[in-house]
Structure formats: structure tokens, C-alpha cells
Amino acid sequence: MKKTIFAILAAATVATGSVATAPQAEARGGAVAAGVLGGLAAGAIIGGAIANSPPAYAVPAPVYAAPPPAYVGGPPPCRMIRERFWDGYGWRFRRVEVCD
């Protein structure tokens, strides 16, 4: 509750200070208005171009697939398997090399 009250008081203080010190508005030939309108138009054009572009995830990434291993003379004589064993505290797994 205190945070909300302090946030409202801070916002009111900033708003009061900006209104009290705001200078008198003058047109001076409309140069500022032309700059603001030009900036808004450029922002609309750039924003529209960005909004209509496809998202980055829609473009497929280049893929490299390594060729599968080729064994000369048949499969290798040894292979790795998972073996379950009891270590005194519980069942665990380890990789063991098995040769045929």
C-alpha cells in the first residue's frame, strides 16, 4: 500500500513541476511542426516495413549433415554398452567396452 501511495505522489509531483515550468507555446513559422510530421511519417514507413518482414524463425537455417561413418571390412570388433551395477549405495550405470 505504501509503495502505491508513494508512486502516485511522485507522479503528481513530476506532473505539477512540468506544468508549472512549461514555457509559452509559439509557432515560429511551423519549422518544428514540419520536423515532427516528417519524423512521424518516416517512423510509420520504417515501422511498416519491419512489421511486414518475415520473422527470423521462419527462415530456415542452413543445415550441415556429416556423412555417416563408413567401416572398411565390416563393423568394428568392439562397441560401448551401458551396464547397470550396484556400488554399495544404489544402482548406477557405466559405459563398458564389449569386444566380440
Side-chain angles (χ1 to χ4, degrees), residues 21-98:
T21 60
Q24 187 67 21
E26 297 178 15
R28 295 191 185 174
V32 174
V36 170
L37 287 177
L40 288 174
I45 291 169
I46 293 171
I50 291 173
N52 289 331
S53 64
Y57 58 83
V59 179
V63 177
Y64 171 75
Y71 300 108
V72 178
C78 298
R79 65 185 190 281
M80 298 295 287
I81 63 166
R82 281 180 62 187
E83 178 181 80
R84 188 174 149 195
F85 70 99
W86 179 262
D87 68 350
Y89 295 103
W91 288 102
R92 301 186 67 170
F93 291 94
R94 65 179 167 202
R95 293 180 57 90
V96 179
E97 185 175 21
V98 177

Side-chain angles (χ1 to χ4, degrees), residues 5-39:
I5 292 173
F6 284 127
I8 292 171
L9 287 176
T13 303
V14 170
T16 304
S18 64
V19 169
T21 60
Q24 187 67 21
E26 297 178 15
R28 295 191 185 174
V32 174
V36 170
L37 287 177

